Amino acid sequence: MYDYTDFDERFVRERVAQFSQQVERRLDGSLTEEEFRPLRLMNGLYLQLHAYMLRVAIPYGTLNAAKMRQLAMIGARWDKGYGHWTTRQNIQFNWPKLPDVPAILTALADVGMHAIQTSGNTVRNVTADHFAGAAADEIADPRAYAELLRQWSTDHPEFQFLPRKFKIAITGAVHDRAVIRAHDIGLQVVKNERGETGFRVLVGGGLGRTPLIGMVVRDFLPEADLLPYVEAVLSVYNVLGRRDNKYKARIKITLHETGKEEITRLIEERFEELRPLFGGADQALLEDIRDAFAPPAFRNAPVTAFDDFYKSDPVFRAWADTNLAAHKNDQYAIVTISVKEQGKTPGDMTSAQMELVADLAEKFGHDDIRISHEQNVILPHIHKGDLPALHAALVQGGIATANVGLISDIIACPGMDYCALATARSIPVAQEIAVRFKELDLEHEIGPLKIKISGCINACGHHHVGHIGILGLDRAGVENYQITLGGSGAEDAHIGDKTGPGFAYDQVVPAVERIVRAYLAERDGPGESFLDAFRRLGMEPFKAALYETGDAKDAA
Amino acid sequence: MSRRFTPKVVTANRLREGDVVYLTADDRWTLVHGEAELIEDEAHAQLRLLHANAQGRLIVGAYLADAKPGPNGPEPTHFREEFRTRGPSNYHHGKQADLDHV
Ligand code: HEM
Ligand code: SF4
């Protein structure tokens, strides 16, 4: 785990001290809300529908037991005993009271955490593949680069007032688990034909009201050029990006308005100017950082306990089949703890469950914990021999749901249950879909299927890249849900296609059921996933199932 | 035909806790939508909003929300405002829980 430097520590403590005074001055009336609002947003504090919300960054989704315990403590002491994992590898607390926020930020600083740059037109939390450093298919651990980017972008004087927020994601594997193609900058660690490490660089991806897949601007950027190149992208964007219209301010629009060729030329030109200025200090820093991400001391021991349980215990087997992923050390597995129990709120974890995860990470998991953009929690390094004991403990704690990657493993944004920008609810839609397919006992038969739900056009729930995407809208004062099919956030990234007219709140679950039944009827055997079937069949059979066989008034 | 003014209530969030509150005719901030002043006149609505905006030490983000008369005082007309009277639908949290104890 990377530990903060003295500089980081001082910077974070100073910000907490400043903000504590600002809160005091707001409470005693010396600051107006107009003056205070930008200050609280700089510190991750939003005002939502029913309360404040504090957004805390989890850099590249990595935690250890001490940090997790502190989040559990904060949830128990200042919130309502839980926290919400988000698609940007942050945690959100939904019920902090304004006078308590300085104490919460102090508690975070005690474990090297903060809420800086989780809001505003800055470089946001750099996200990474949640299997980083563990995945069998990885070329290199992307987190060292993510940390380098974090240090460079934190409080960077030139980039505190960008035209709009700026999101960077990085993966070290070909299989994209970090949705890099839907970020302002997406980075993929690659090797060139000489075996040297570098990056494929994508620019201009993003969701929201104008969803676009990022374009490749460099097939191979040498490792040493990372910071000057990213700085060149930001610096071109900082000048060209539109500040007159916030809907046209993201770099994806700049890219489309300027043209890929011209923008690439400008980036390369700026890059040539910047490169000599970096002078190697960044590379020395990278070497230091890399040490902090060295792999843990893997144990060499028999895995017979796993094989025995796998053969004899069907509950364990079902969990192992969905919740484990291949580790680079074949005695090990990557464990995804599902935070998607059917009927519960996607991504909400209680303080007691966080404590349990912290204990298990220490006992079995080399003190390493990850938060995924899919709102689940990961123990990346578990020896297979320990899996039965780990599973038993998760069952005890109520977090052994065996559904990772299945239809009930839904991403849902807070929607109108919390978010002030929402046009409709998303959480209850997710709850009802998950419960319905559990009742039907169809989840495992359906196989891999990603449903993603947003409560407004901002697309925090990634609905455009869901195999089934659901977008909640307000149509003349009534909740109405638009469905898209065939989206993907992986290496085959694609924006889903609209099925047609939207559905009333109580018609969404039946609509999803008709889509899924059409898939089951048409698929080329269980080996053909929903996404593959959709790509082969196109929209027609699904449209027919949605709008023709059903009662016409369903599709209001 | 001139458009008729849709009745309004003044609503905001409490500065300290963030709770949703409504302005009453006797200048209190209440958690209960039914206790809000139902404003039927546009000019009066603007005056009440000005009054609310001057109370920045108590509340944040005051605005006028559509409402209609009901048997127990004003009722919201839009689903967003209806959710704001209660709290989230996934947990018994927020005002729906706090008001149980009143
Ligand atoms: C509840 C308070 C929230 C507010 C006020 C908020 C606001 C926004 C806004 C305005 C956008 C559109 C940005 C643009 O297109 O320029 C956006 C996008 C996004 N937000 Fe949120 N959001 C909130 C919660 C969340 C949560 C809970 C998540 C994760 C579950 C999240 C993750 C994202 C992502 C992934 C995007 C779209 C990707 C992109 O930026 O292109 N946000 N958010
Ligand atoms: S998608 Fe809309 S409703 Fe959902 S969290 Fe984002 S801003 Fe709020």
Side-chain angles (χ1 to χ4, degrees):
Chain A
M1 176 103 219
Y2 184 81
D3 282 320
Y4 271 19
T5 59
D6 294 343
F7 168 78
D8 280 317
E9 162 89 18
R10 211 170 347 109
F11 173 66
V12 171
R13 295 279 177 196
E14 277 167 17
R15 278 288 285 271
V16 173
Q18 266 173 13
F19 189 59
S20 305
Q21 285 183 0
Q22 290 159 350
V23 169
E24 225 165 86
R25 282 156 45 74
R26 176 69 184 101
L27 290 170
D28 73 16
S30 13
L31 283 179
T32 65
E33 185 60 19
E34 289 67 40
E35 290 161 334
F36 181 64
R37 188 170 175 276
L39 302 173
R40 70 168 156 74
L41 287 173
M42 275 171 68
N43 291 284
L45 186 65
Y46 289 73
L47 182 63
Q48 303 244 77
L49 273 188
H50 313 291
Y52 289 96
M53 177 274 281
L54 183 67
R55 182 184 287 166
V56 178
I58 301 171
Y60 31 89
T62 299
L63 290 171
N64 60 16
K67 291 180 179 182
M68 186 64 120
R69 286 202 183 97
Q70 196 76 336
L71 295 176
M73 186 280 282
I74 290 169
R77 179 155 173 205
W78 290 296
D79 200 285
K80 296 189 189 290
Y82 75 103
H84 177 75
W85 311 117
T86 83
T87 44
R88 296 224 70 259
Q89 297 180 316
N90 294 310
I91 183 169
Q92 294 188 171
F93 291 107
N94 282 325
W95 301 97
K97 292 184 169 40
L98 181 57
D100 293 335
V101 172
I104 301 176
L105 293 177
T106 303
L108 288 168
D110 290 344
V111 292
M113 295 183 78
H114 59 75
I116 296 165
Q117 287 182 209
T118 62
S119 170
N121 297 331
T122 55
V123 179
R124 303 290 188 87
N125 187 26
V126 177
T127 53
D129 180 359
H130 41 268
F131 292 170
D137 60 354
E138 182 174 273
I139 288 171
D141 188 336
R143 290 173 304 159
Y145 308 112
E147 173 57 25
L148 183 67
L149 287 164
R150 186 194 70 79
Q151 293 195 14
W152 159 83
S153 66
T154 301
D155 209 30
H156 193 301
E158 207 181 317
F159 304 135
Q160 293 304 300
F161 298 97
L162 291 166
R164 197 79 179 91
K165 57 170 101 166
F166 203 90
K167 299 178 177 177
I168 304 177
I170 182 166
T171 175
V174 174
H175 179 39
D176 180 5
R177 287 170 287 257
V179 209
I180 63 166
R181 286 154 184 84
H183 282 74
D184 297 285
I185 293 183
L187 297 165
Q188 179 190 349
V189 184
V190 290
K191 296 250 190 228
N192 66 6
E193 54 294 351
R194 286 196 297 276
E196 295 156 347
T197 304
F199 307 92
R200 174 172 297 138
V201 184
L202 291 94
V203 170
L207 302 173
R209 71 180 58 223
T210 318
L212 290 166
I213 300 298
M215 295 184 195
V216 177
V217 291
R218 268 283 191 127
D219 277 311
F220 186 83
L221 177 75
E223 182 182 60
D225 291 338
L226 178 64
L227 286 192
Y229 195 85
V230 170
E231 181 153 332
V233 173
L234 269 154
S235 135
V236 167
Y237 168 58
N238 209 10
V239 174
L240 288 186
R242 288 181 60 170
R243 292 168 195 267
D244 59 321
N245 180 341
K246 88 171 185 184
Y247 302 124
K248 300 206 164 156
R250 296 288 291 269
I251 195 173
K252 60 190 174 187
I253 307 288
T254 319
L255 181 67
H256 281 257
E257 288 188 345
T258 315
K260 180 180 154 180
E261 258 163 45
E262 174 63 3
I263 215 163
T264 308
R265 192 186 65 75
L266 291 168
I267 293 170
E268 295 293 337
E269 204 175 275
R270 182 79 182 120
F271 169 62
E272 288 308 322
E273 290 167 12
L274 286 169
R275 185 154 59 166
L277 306 180
F278 273 76
D282 54 324
Q283 291 310 298
L285 180 58
L286 179 63
E287 282 316 308
D288 287 350
I289 293 171
R290 226 193 287 270
D291 292 342
F293 292 102
F298 293 122
R299 197 149 55 86
N300 184 6
V303 298
T304 40
F306 173 78
D307 297 332
D308 293 346
F309 267 79
Y310 192 83
K311 273 188 226 117
S312 59
D313 180 346
V315 175
F316 177 75
R317 185 161 60 237
W319 176 81
D321 284 344
T322 49
N323 294 36
L324 300 185
H327 196 284
K328 58 176 73 166
N329 177 326
D330 63 11
Q331 284 186 12
Y332 274 71
I334 302 171
V335 173
T336 299
I337 299 171
S338 166
V339 193
K340 308 293 179 69
E341 186 183 345
Q342 295 88 350
K344 297 274 176 68
T345 303
D348 278 7
M349 187 172 250
T350 66
S351 291
Q353 291 167 342
M354 291 183 209
E355 295 271 358
L356 175 63
V357 171
D359 292 347
L360 294 173
E362 271 176 350
K363 191 163 173 197
F364 300 116
H366 300 275
D367 198 21
D368 198 344
I369 304 166
R370 309 292 172 76
I371 306 305
S372 77
H373 82 269
E374 294 184 313
Q375 301 178 292
N376 288 317
V377 173
I378 283 116
L379 297 175
H381 309 292
I382 304 292
H383 191 273
K384 285 184 182 165
D386 292 331
L387 285 169
L390 177 87
H391 178 251
L394 294 174
V395 170
Q396 286 264 309
I399 40 176
T401 310
N403 65 346
V404 172
L406 302 182
I407 193 169
S408 57
D409 185 5
I410 299 173
I411 292 184
C413 80
M416 204 177 275
D417 289 302
Y418 297 89
C419 179
L421 303 177
T423 42
R425 286 171 292 173
S426 44
I427 290 169
V429 175
Q431 291 174 305
E432 287 166 28
I433 292 171
V435 166
R436 176 66 184 153
F437 283 91
K438 188 178 183 187
E439 280 165 8
L440 293 171
D441 198 17
L442 272 180
E443 284 204 72
H444 291 267
E445 194 182 329
I446 297 163
L449 176 49
K450 293 184 194 289
I451 297 187
K452 304 183 197 271
I453 311 177
S454 305
C456 84
I457 190 87
N458 287 325
C460 304
H462 289 183
H463 65 276
H464 300 108
V465 294
H467 302 167
I468 299 178
I470 301 176
L471 164 63
L473 295 168
D474 174 347
R475 285 274 182 263
V478 183
E479 286 168 299
N480 189 271
Y481 294 82
Q482 202 172 72
I483 297 183
T484 49
L485 300 179
S488 168
E491 58 279 15
D492 54 356
H494 188 75
I495 305 295
D497 302 320
K498 282 184 201 132
T499 57
F503 296 85
Y505 177 81
D506 59 355
Q507 291 306 317
V508 178
V509 178
V512 171
E513 192 175 330
R514 289 205 293 279
I515 292 166
V516 170
R517 290 201 186 273
Y519 155 66
L520 290 174
E522 301 275 345
R523 75 178 172 186
D524 203 6
E528 189 182 40
S529 70
F530 176 85
L531 188 58
D532 289 340
F534 178 82
R535 286 177 175 167
R536 178 173 61 82
L537 294 161
M539 184 62 90
E540 281 322 307
F542 298 98
K543 238 182 166 148
L546 274 175
Y547 301 106
E548 284 164 30
T549 57
D551 190 339
K553 74 175 186 296
D554 284 353
Chain B
M1 211 177 84
S2 70
R3 243 181 348 133
R4 272 203 53 204
F5 179 71
T6 311
K8 302 274 190 289
V9 296
V10 177
T11 180
N13 292 78
R14 263 196 187 128
L15 174 63
R16 300 178 76 88
E17 302 85 4
D19 288 338
V20 174
V21 285
Y22 308 94
L23 185 61
T24 64
D26 59 354
D27 290 348
R28 286 178 303 113
W29 288 101
T30 173
L31 293 173
V32 183
H33 194 287
E35 291 175 9
E37 174 185 13
L38 188 69
I39 308 170
E40 315 244 14
D41 170 84
E42 174 135 37
H44 186 56
Q46 291 306 327
L47 277 178
R48 295 303 281 160
L49 186 59
L50 277 177
H51 174 79
N53 280 331
Q55 303 203 17
R57 284 183 66 177
L58 296 177
I59 53 100
V60 184
Y63 64 93
L64 296 167
D66 288 353
K68 60 178 190 228
N72 299 309
E75 292 172 3
T77 58
H78 191 277
F79 62 91
R80 181 179 194 268
E81 292 305 323
E82 201 184 307
F83 293 141
R84 286 180 80 244
T85 66
R86 290 196 300 265
S89 55
N90 60 330
Y91 299 114
H92 193 65
H93 284 163
K95 286 203 294 181
Q96 55 199 338
D98 302 339
L99 288 171
D100 288 350
H101 313 295
V102 183

